[in-house]
Amino acid sequence: MSEDWAAVAKAINERVNELGWRQRELAERSNVSQAIVREIQHHVVERRRSARTLESLSIALGWHPQHLLFLLQGRKPPETDEPISDSADTVWSRLDSLEQRMDEITERLDDLKGDLATVIEHVRKNR
């Protein structure tokens, strides 16, 4: 499933302008760091964000808690009064994301292990 971070950024920017808020105000109201708000608003870093981050931003902006998540997934956002959907698809999607992240962490640890072995070898040679 592709993620549409540009749509998320556009929606946030339009809503912030509509409300007359600054970035700092959105960060404070949503309890999301200003750095993360900036990255999402300016669409400079496309990295997986927790559903809670998107939910906090959605609620602060007066939307349904899953508004930004649905936009990200290219789906029509729910109305504010609709119940929160907790479908099996969401669970599987989150598990897939966790698995992908674990693979990335494993690769980084393997790289560090190789680097550490090189440093140890270098130190032993220079004794």
Side-chain angles (χ1 to χ4, degrees), residues 12-53:
I12 290 173
N13 289 326
E14 287 174 357
R15 184 69 173 150
V16 166
N17 288 335
E18 184 180 301
L19 296 170
W21 292 355
R22 293 180 178 252
Q23 201 173 71
R24 183 181 346 174
E25 188 167 359
L26 175 57
E28 288 171 0
R29 287 176 181 257
S30 64
N31 290 316
V32 173
S33 79
Q34 191 170 351
I36 290 174
V37 170
R38 182 181 316 107
E39 287 177 2
I40 294 171
Q41 269 192 294
H42 294 293
H43 189 222
V44 291
V45 178
E46 256 186 44
R47 86 178 81 172
R48 186 86 171 116
R49 302 289 178 187
S50 79
R52 279 186 268 167
T53 298

Side-chain angles (χ1 to χ4, degrees), residues 76-89:
K76 180 182 179 277
E79 296 297 323
T80 307
D81 58 347
E82 283 185 44
I84 296 174
S85 105
D86 190 23
S87 67
D89 290 342

Side-chain angles (χ1 to χ4, degrees), residues 53-66:
T53 298
L54 296 177
E55 181 178 314
S56 294
L57 290 167
S58 292
I59 291 169
L61 292 165
W63 290 327
H64 184 280
Q66 293 177 317

Side-chain angles (χ1 to χ4, degrees), residues 37-121:
V37 170
R38 182 181 316 107
E39 287 177 2
I40 294 171
Q41 269 192 294
H42 294 293
H43 189 222
V44 291
V45 178
E46 256 186 44
R47 86 178 81 172
R48 186 86 171 116
R49 302 289 178 187
S50 79
R52 279 186 268 167
T53 298
L54 296 177
E55 181 178 314
S56 294
L57 290 167
S58 292
I59 291 169
L61 292 165
W63 290 327
H64 184 280
Q66 293 177 317
H67 186 96
L68 292 173
L69 179 63
F70 274 54
L71 281 179
L72 179 65
Q73 296 171 345
R75 298 162 51 193
K76 180 182 179 277
E79 296 297 323
T80 307
D81 58 347
E82 283 185 44
I84 296 174
S85 105
D86 190 23
S87 67
D89 290 342
T90 304
V91 173
W92 286 112
S93 173
R94 293 177 79 184
L95 285 173
D96 287 343
S97 296
L98 286 172
E99 184 177 26
Q100 181 181 2
R101 186 70 180 131
M102 291 297 294
D103 289 342
E104 291 171 7
I105 290 169
T106 301
E107 282 182 37
R108 287 183 181 178
L109 287 174
D110 288 344
D111 290 344
L112 287 172
K113 183 179 174 183
D115 292 346
L116 184 58
T118 302
V119 168
I120 290 171
E121 182 180 328

